[in-house]
């Protein structure tokens, strides 16, 4: 039996492969060979069956995306277990997994790190709205820390967005409309010409203004364009190329007297060489990202400039990995990464400094660089025909915080043909970002308010020790999972803020907010995840998920804010493939959501019902209609502000 299992695994690797996400995170896999939710590559950097991998994983397929009518990633993740995608105020969404902070989730595109904003208040918040869903093949979610393979940021888990690959000529055009925004997207595959295949994709979004008191959301236009190429160098050898550009032209009303223009441009490009041989698979890649953010705060009446901020991020990554089949019981993966990140901003004070002037207002701009190096090793060890062990270890070096070693041991034990016990234990960390280290920002959003935020060059990395235990089973039309997770986190980085009010003669009341990043928190985040699915006849399926969370500050034993103690989702899924209809009706319950207001701790909750109906008219035309928050619930704390109508059409050719 051991020999059969080993040969099965060897075949998986040899057949598709490079399904790996290399340290820097290569193209998550050769997606031409992976079309179902039964195979995942993010959890171990090699292709594994979902049932086999020790990690808690979930795969959102292309079919799931279309059934949900998801015009953005936040909508595609709505039904996923153990992840919070609530709106973050009026700008963006959270992407927190298992009660961890949003900046403790690592977001990848084809295994590559996404160069995003880098403060604890902005990191990852906008990324769920920056993906062209027409170009997405599937999304893989790994719940639980995986720093032993991915390094910093992966304390809570990983979201890996895997895109379509060029090859077969054809394409699609889609239009989406909601009561909040409208989108136009396309993807066109030019097909194969000689050794090369090319595909072009693009998206335009028009976001409507929504008011909340004297302020608004970020509204305006977003543009995205991307080009992907693949060259067959030889049998089982490929060269992949990509380049994409994003532009955001947004505006936000900050108060009755001031508003801010947001001009954001991000360009990424890279090459990856990959192949397979008798021993296994290999890959090497380089990719570069330039991200430019210009923000201008102006008086809404006179349009005079109050303040401005310029920020530029440049990221250079080289990474590679090699997978070797060692006999019948071991599959060894070894990889490495070098990453350089340059950050120039008016919001930091470190490294080289110069003065720039915009419309008569002067500001100092500084530039700092962070260098990362890493190597990792993983062994997939089939101890018996029922027992799989996966140990992994990674060494990281950063020029600011030094060395860090993380490790993990995952195990799957087959209790029977239809039941498995899974366990994971490991360590993880998150390195301080350049902003957290060197922030020096004074902002005057209004004439009566001043914001001062300071970094801390003595910050230590956040660290965690975590484990989870799970049981999975399925029998005919019924399946279920139950998992207990426990995460002990030290040196949490927190922005300590004090607010003072003073009366200034001739000016009036002046509000000053002073903040500084510090390692002040220790926390224990633990909980229980349950998932059950029951097929009801030929067309209906009932699915339920539940997460119980106990997240506490170890110093005060108080429940952490911005989290719900209970999250429940009940989903009724209808599928009539013969006539092209499918629909999903689901209700989400959030209770015990902890927050502070006027220095007082409070709890809130909400029950939100949603519906989406999808119709495939033929092989080329489909349409959907949906209602989010069907019962028109409103909650200022959770940012539910009423019913959202949405619909869309997709034409393939």
């Amino acid at each position: 039996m051991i020999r059969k299992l080993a040969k099965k695994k060897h075949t998986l690797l040899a057949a598709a492969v490079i399904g790996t996400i290399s340290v820097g995170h290569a193209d998550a896999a050769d997606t031409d060979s992976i079309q179902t939710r039964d195979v995942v590559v993010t959890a171990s950097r090699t292709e594994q069956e979902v049932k086999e991998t020790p990690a808690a994983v979930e795969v959102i397929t292309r079919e799931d995306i279309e059934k949900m009518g998801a015009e953005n990633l936040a909508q595609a993740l709505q039904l996923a277990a153990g992840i919070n995608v609530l709106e973050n105020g009026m700008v963006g969404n959270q992407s927190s997994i298992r009660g961890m902070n949003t900046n403790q989730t690592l977001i990848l595109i084809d295994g590559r790190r996404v160069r995003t904003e880098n403060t604890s208040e902005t990191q990852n918040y906008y990324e769920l709205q920056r993906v062209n869903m027409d170009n997405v093949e599937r999304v893989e979610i790994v719940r639980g820390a995986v720093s032993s393979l991915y390094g910093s940021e992966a304390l809570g888990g990983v979201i890996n967005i895997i895109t379509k690959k060029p090859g077969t000529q054809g394409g699609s055009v889609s239009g989406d409309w909601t009561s909040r925004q409208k989108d136009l997207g396309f993807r066109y595959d030019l097909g194969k010409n000689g050794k090369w295949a090319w595909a072009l994709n693009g998206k335009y979004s028009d976001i409507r203004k929504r008011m909340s008191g004297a302020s608004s959301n970020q509204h305006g236009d977003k543009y995205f364009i991307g080009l992907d190429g693949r060259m067959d160098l030889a049998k089982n050898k490929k060269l992949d190329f990509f380049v994409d550009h994003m532009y955001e032209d947004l505006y936000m009303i900050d108060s009755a007297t001031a508003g801010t223009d947001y001009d954001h441009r991000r360009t990424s490009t890279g090459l990856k060489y990959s192949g397979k041989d008798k021993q296994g698979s290999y890959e090497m890649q380089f990719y570069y990202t330039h991200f430019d953010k210009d923000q201008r705060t102006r008086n809404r009446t006179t349009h005079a400039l109050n303040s401005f901020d310029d920020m530029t991020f440049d990221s250079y990554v080289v990474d590679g990995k090699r997978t070797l089949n060692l006999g019948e019981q071991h599959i060894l993966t070894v990889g490495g990464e070098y990453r350089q990140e340059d950050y120039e901003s008016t919001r930091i004070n470190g490294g080289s400094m110069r003065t720039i002037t915009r419309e008569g207002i002067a500001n100092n701009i500084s530039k700092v660089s962070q260098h990362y190096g890493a190597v990792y090793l993983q062994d997939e060890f089939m101890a018996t025909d029922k027992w799989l062990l996966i140990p992994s270890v990674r060494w990281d070096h950063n020029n600011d915080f030094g060395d860090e070693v993380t490790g993990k041991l995952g195990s799957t034990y087959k209790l029977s043909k239809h039941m498995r016990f899974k366990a994971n234990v490991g360590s993880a960390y998150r390195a301080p970002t350049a902003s957290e280290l060197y922030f020096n920002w004074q902002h005057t959003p209004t004439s009566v308010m001043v914001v001062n935020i300071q970094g801390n060059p003595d910050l230590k990395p956040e660290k965690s020790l975590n484990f989870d235990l799970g049981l999975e089973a399925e029998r005919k039309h019924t399946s279920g999972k139950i998992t207990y997770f426990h995460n002990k986190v030290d040196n949490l980085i927190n922005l300590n803020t004090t607010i003072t009010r003073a009366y200034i003669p001739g000016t009036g009341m002046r509000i000053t907010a002073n903040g500084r990043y510090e390692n002040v928190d220790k926390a224990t985040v633990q909980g229980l995840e349950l998932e059950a699915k029951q097929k009801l006849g030929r067309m209906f399926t009932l699915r339920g998920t539940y997460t119980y969370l106990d997240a506490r500050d170890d110093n005060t034993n108080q429940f952490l804010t911005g989290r719900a103690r209970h999250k429940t989702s009940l989903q009724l899924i209808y599928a009539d493939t013969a006539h092209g209809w499918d629909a999903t009706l689901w209700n989400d319950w959030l209770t015990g959501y902890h927050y502070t207001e006027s220095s007082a701790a409070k709890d809130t909750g909400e029950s939100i019902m949603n519906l989406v109906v999808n119709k495939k008219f033929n092989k080329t035309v489909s349409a959907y209609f949906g209602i989010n928050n069907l019962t028109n619930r409103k909650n200022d704390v959770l940012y539910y502000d009423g019913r959202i109508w949405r619909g869309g059409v997709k034409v393939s050719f």
Side-chain angles (χ1 to χ4, degrees):
M1 180 63 75
I2 295 176
R3 182 181 299 273
K4 289 181 180 179
L5 286 172
K7 285 185 177 180
K8 177 182 178 182
K9 195 125 187 191
H10 182 92
T11 302
L12 271 174
L13 286 166
V17 113
I18 337 180
T20 63
I21 296 177
S22 99
V23 173
H25 318 112
D27 172 40
D30 185 346
T31 54
D32 297 339
S33 65
I34 304 176
Q35 300 296 333
T36 74
R37 66 172 69 247
D38 298 326
V39 178
V40 65
V41 298
T42 308
S44 67
R45 296 186 179 275
T46 62
E47 289 182 6
Q48 289 185 325
E49 293 183 7
V50 170
K51 294 179 181 180
E52 182 179 294
T53 182
V57 299
E58 185 167 352
V59 180
I60 299 171
T61 66
R62 181 70 228 172
E63 182 182 10
D64 296 331
I65 293 170
E66 293 183 354
K67 285 182 177 180
M68 287 293 293
E71 83 270 9
N72 59 57
L73 187 57
Q75 290 182 355
L77 296 173
Q78 283 185 99
L79 300 185
I83 182 169
N84 174 20
V85 293
L86 285 174
E87 286 193 25
N88 178 48
M90 302 289 277
V91 285
N93 295 82
Q94 300 180 43
S95 55
S96 57
I97 299 175
R98 286 184 170 175
M100 302 299 286
N101 294 328
T102 295
N103 63 348
Q104 294 166 335
T105 297
L106 179 61
I107 298 179
L108 308 170
I109 295 180
D110 288 329
R112 301 184 301 267
R113 287 178 179 268
V114 177
R115 175 66 270 188
T116 182
E117 290 81 359
N118 69 349
T119 70
S120 57
E121 292 73 36
T122 59
Q123 189 169 358
N124 291 340
Y125 280 115
Y126 308 106
E127 295 309 320
L128 303 190
Q129 304 285 343
R130 287 173 169 169
V131 178
N132 180 12
M133 297 304 294
D134 286 358
N135 198 43
V136 175
E137 181 62 35
R138 70 186 191 279
V139 180
E140 296 184 354
I141 305 166
V142 180
R143 300 191 299 275
V146 280
S147 285
S148 62
L149 292 179
Y150 295 98
S152 182
E153 281 90 59
L155 275 79
V158 175
I159 300 173
N160 188 20
I161 304 146
I162 299 173
T163 63
K164 299 177 181 178
K165 298 298 175 285
T168 304
Q169 186 174 9
S172 64
V173 177
S174 65
D176 301 278
W177 179 92
T178 80
S179 47
R180 290 188 173 183
Q181 70 181 65
K182 58 185 178 182
D183 303 90
L184 292 173
F186 77 92
R187 184 179 189 275
Y188 180 60
D189 196 320
L190 284 72
K192 197 167 183 180
N193 185 7
K195 292 185 176 182
W196 276 100
W198 296 94
L200 187 68
N201 71 94
K203 183 178 181 179
Y204 164 72
S205 299
D206 178 12
I207 304 167
R208 296 180 176 88
K209 180 174 67 175
R210 294 178 288 130
M211 296 298 296
S212 177
S215 63
S216 76
N217 63 312
Q218 286 185 354
H219 54 277
D221 300 321
K222 291 186 178 183
Y223 307 85
F224 179 90
I225 188 75
L227 176 68
D228 294 281
R230 168 168 286 184
M231 180 182 184
D232 291 326
L233 298 172
K235 184 179 180 180
N236 295 327
K237 293 183 180 180
K238 295 182 176 68
L239 182 68
D240 287 294
F241 166 80
F242 81 94
V243 60
D244 57 54
H245 179 73
M246 176 198 75
Y247 173 53
E248 296 176 332
D249 182 13
L250 304 173
Y251 179 74
M252 182 173 181
I253 298 173
D254 300 318
S255 66
T257 59
T260 302
D261 289 308
Y262 297 87
D263 290 326
H264 302 160
R265 297 172 177 83
R266 182 168 66 192
T267 301
S268 301
T269 186
L271 282 170
K272 185 188 74 169
Y273 170 72
S274 60
K276 296 177 287 184
D277 55 25
K278 294 181 180 179
Q279 286 73 42
S281 64
Y282 52 87
E283 60 186 41
M284 177 67 71
Q285 75 167 345
F286 166 79
Y287 58 97
Y288 163 73
T289 302
H290 175 79
F291 191 15
D292 185 21
K293 294 171 60 69
D294 296 333
Q295 297 179 187
R296 306 286 185 266
T297 301
R298 299 179 180 277
N299 183 287
R300 290 179 59 191
T301 302
T302 66
H303 302 290
L305 187 65
N306 291 344
S307 62
F308 73 91
D309 286 290
D310 290 354
M311 291 156 278
T312 302
F313 303 84
D314 288 288
S315 176
Y316 310 82
V317 181
V318 178
D319 67 65
K321 75 132 188 98
R322 175 61 156 148
T323 295
L324 297 169
N325 302 307
L326 303 179
E328 297 180 341
Q329 291 179 284
H330 296 271
I331 298 177
L332 189 69
T333 301
V334 58
E337 169 191 23
Y338 174 77
R339 177 161 46 107
Q340 176 179 326
E341 294 186 351
D342 299 331
Y343 178 34
E344 186 173 44
S345 173
T346 53
R347 295 185 176 186
I348 62 173
N349 183 9
S352 59
M353 180 183 293
R354 57 191 176 90
T355 301
I356 59 175
T357 302
R358 302 284 188 265
E359 300 180 32
I361 296 180
N363 209 341
N364 291 327
I365 187 167
S366 296
K367 182 176 181 180
V368 297
S369 294
Q370 291 184 302
H371 303 266
Y372 302 81
V375 293
Y376 69 91
L377 179 68
Q378 174 185 268
D379 181 27
E380 296 172 65
F381 172 40
M382 292 179 170
T384 71
D385 59 344
K386 294 183 178 181
W387 191 16
L388 171 65
L389 285 168
I390 305 182
S392 57
V393 62
R394 174 169 166 140
W395 168 83
D396 282 270
H397 177 78
N398 175 278
N399 63 306
D400 282 314
F401 67 81
D403 298 327
E404 194 68 43
V405 177
T406 52
K408 182 180 180 181
L409 177 62
S411 177
T412 299
Y413 185 80
K414 297 179 181 178
L415 300 170
S416 68
K417 183 179 180 180
H418 301 290
M419 183 178 293
R420 299 161 300 283
F421 174 75
K422 296 184 176 183
N424 297 275
V425 60
S427 57
Y429 81 103
R430 187 183 74 87
T433 66
S435 287
E436 292 167 340
L437 292 169
Y438 306 114
F439 226 60
N440 182 29
W441 185 45
Q442 179 171 309
H443 181 49
T444 54
T446 71
S447 59
V448 298
M449 185 173 186
V450 178
V451 178
N452 295 298
I453 300 180
Q454 297 297 315
N456 183 354
D458 297 323
L459 287 175
K460 299 176 182 178
E462 298 175 337
K463 296 184 180 182
S464 73
L465 182 63
N466 57 87
F467 71 89
D468 60 60
L469 306 170
L471 186 67
E472 301 178 358
E474 64 279 329
R475 188 70 175 178
K476 294 184 178 179
H477 301 309
T478 306
S479 62
K481 301 177 182 179
I482 181 170
T483 303
Y484 169 74
F485 59 89
H486 186 282
N487 208 342
K488 180 78 171 180
V489 190
D490 292 331
N491 295 327
L492 275 172
I493 297 172
N494 182 55
L495 180 61
N496 282 341
T497 304
T498 59
I499 298 177
T500 59
R501 292 174 172 84
Y503 180 80
I504 300 176
T507 302
M509 185 64 68
R510 171 66 62 87
I511 301 173
T512 302
N514 294 303
R516 187 173 189 266
Y517 288 102
E518 294 180 358
N519 291 113
V520 295
D521 292 333
K522 294 185 178 182
T524 299
V525 181
Q526 59 184 332
L528 199 65
E529 294 173 342
L530 291 91
E531 180 180 353
K533 183 183 291 187
Q534 176 67 52
K535 194 166 180 59
L536 307 174
R538 187 170 60 89
M539 297 182 181
F540 287 93
T541 300
L542 185 65
R543 177 177 183 252
T545 65
Y546 169 73
T547 300
Y548 167 75
L549 186 67
D550 183 28
R552 295 183 181 275
D553 185 318
D554 288 350
N555 299 318
T556 64
N557 199 38
Q558 297 297 310
F559 196 84
L560 299 179
T561 59
R563 295 159 174 84
R565 190 180 295 273
H566 305 277
K567 181 182 179 182
T568 307
S569 180
L570 187 62
Q571 306 154 17
L572 181 63
I573 304 165
Y574 170 80
D576 180 4
T577 55
H579 299 92
W581 286 98
D582 58 70
T584 304
L585 174 68
W586 75 99
N587 200 98
D588 293 332
W589 291 269
L590 219 62
T591 58
Y593 185 90
H594 199 59
Y595 70 103
T596 57
E597 184 178 77
S598 301
S599 300
K602 298 182 179 181
D603 284 349
T604 188
E606 199 55 80
S607 173
I608 302 295
M609 182 176 290
N610 310 276
L611 171 69
V612 62
V613 180
N614 192 291
K615 168 65 175 175
K616 291 185 178 180
F617 296 96
N618 50 49
K619 292 182 179 180
T620 61
V621 180
S622 64
Y624 74 90
F625 170 75
I627 307 174
N628 286 6
N629 194 355
L630 196 147
T631 56
N632 201 33
R633 304 293 295 176
K634 297 182 180 181
N635 188 309
D636 292 338
V637 176
L638 299 174
Y639 299 105
Y640 292 122
D641 61 353
R643 189 180 294 114
I644 301 173
W645 303 86
R646 61 193 188 94
V649 177
K650 181 178 180 181
V651 179
S652 302
F653 52 88

